[in-house]
């Protein structure tokens, strides 16, 4: 991962990427390093047989699903099937996950971090989301709002 960071730093310097954006990228790599997360988890386990990939996915994501209110009284078999369709996505502070007018096809579950549902002006906070919260673009569009990451946030996405 260090060689990737060095390559990205060199690229950003050569392309004269603004310092504030360089700091954001470096913080993202730091976060990955500290949490020992792989930036492409699917590729990391791609060499494993499907059965082992499924077992890993269940181990990694089942606890997250169990914290989500709408899945509290759901059969374990259904949750295991759902787990196989999930993938984690990392967002940095200030990233918009979705905005009014965007077409959405995913459902997001907050695994770790904090999000805010903000009004069209991007500042008025209408709701805060934490681990176990969930949202999808369709409901956000109906409210005329956006969802903004307040810290380093890991969302689990159902495709």
């Amino acid at each position: 991962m260090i060689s990737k960071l060095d390559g990205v730093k060199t690229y950003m310097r050569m392309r004269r990427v603004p310092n504030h954006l360089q700091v954001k990228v470096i913080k993202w790599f730091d976060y990955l390093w500290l949490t020992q997360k792989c930036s492409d988890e699917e590729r990391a386990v791609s060499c494993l047989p499907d059965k082992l990939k499924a077992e890993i996915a269940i181990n990694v994501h089942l606890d997250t699903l169990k914290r989500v209110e709408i899945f509290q009284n759901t059969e374990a078999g259904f949750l295991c099937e759902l787990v196989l369709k999930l993938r984690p996505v990392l967002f940095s502070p200030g990233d918009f996950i979705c905005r009014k007018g965007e077409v959405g096809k995913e459902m997001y579950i907050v695994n770790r971090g904090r999000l805010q549902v903000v009004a069209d002006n991007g500042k008025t906070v209408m709701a805060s989301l934490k681990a176990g919260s969930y949202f999808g673009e369709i409901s956000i569009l109906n409210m005329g709002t956006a969802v903004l990451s307040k810290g380093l946030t890991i969302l689990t996405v159902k495709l």
Side-chain angles (χ1 to χ4, degrees):
M1 182 163 353
I2 292 174
S3 63
K4 284 184 183 180
L5 175 58
D6 290 340
V8 170
K9 282 181 175 179
T10 301
Y11 172 82
M12 291 189 300
R13 272 194 308 273
M14 290 175 56
R15 297 293 184 190
R16 295 190 171 110
V17 173
N19 284 338
H20 75 278
L21 187 52
Q22 289 186 39
V23 168
K24 190 174 180 178
V25 169
I26 292 167
K27 283 183 179 181
W28 182 80
F29 271 99
D30 286 345
Y31 179 77
L32 286 178
W33 181 260
L34 288 173
T35 59
Q36 298 179 1
K37 295 282 181 198
C38 177
S39 61
D40 186 356
E41 292 187 4
E42 289 176 23
R43 196 176 77 212
V45 297
S46 65
C47 63
L48 297 175
D50 289 342
K51 182 163 176 37
L52 281 178
K53 283 190 242 182
E55 287 182 43
I56 289 173
I58 289 167
N59 187 283
V60 169
H61 298 297
L62 193 57
D63 285 340
T64 298
L65 281 183
K66 286 180 179 178
R67 287 185 288 175
V68 177
E69 183 181 334
I70 61 171
F71 298 127
Q72 292 294 310
N73 297 317
T74 305
E75 289 182 26
F78 174 76
L79 289 180
C80 288
E81 288 295 319
L82 186 58
V83 159
L84 299 177
K85 307 221 183 286
L86 299 178
R87 65 180 172 83
V89 181
L90 177 68
F91 291 93
S92 297
D95 285 349
F96 281 95
I97 288 79
C98 57
R99 294 183 189 197
K100 180 180 177 180
E102 294 178 345
V103 176
K105 298 177 185 172
E106 298 93 7
M107 174 185 174
Y108 294 97
I109 301 166
V110 181
N111 188 356
R112 185 182 307 152
R114 294 179 306 121
L115 301 169
Q116 291 180 332
V117 179
V118 294
D120 286 339
N121 65 15
K123 298 189 186 301
T124 305
V125 177
M126 301 176 75
S128 293
L129 305 174
K130 60 181 181 174
S133 299
Y134 60 93
F135 63 94
E137 285 87 340
I138 302 297
S139 62
I140 299 302
L141 288 174
N142 292 335
M143 293 172 54
T145 58
V147 177
L148 175 69
S149 177
K150 293 309 295 176
L152 287 166
T153 305
I154 299 176
L155 299 180
T156 303
V157 180
K158 192 261 179 223
L159 301 174

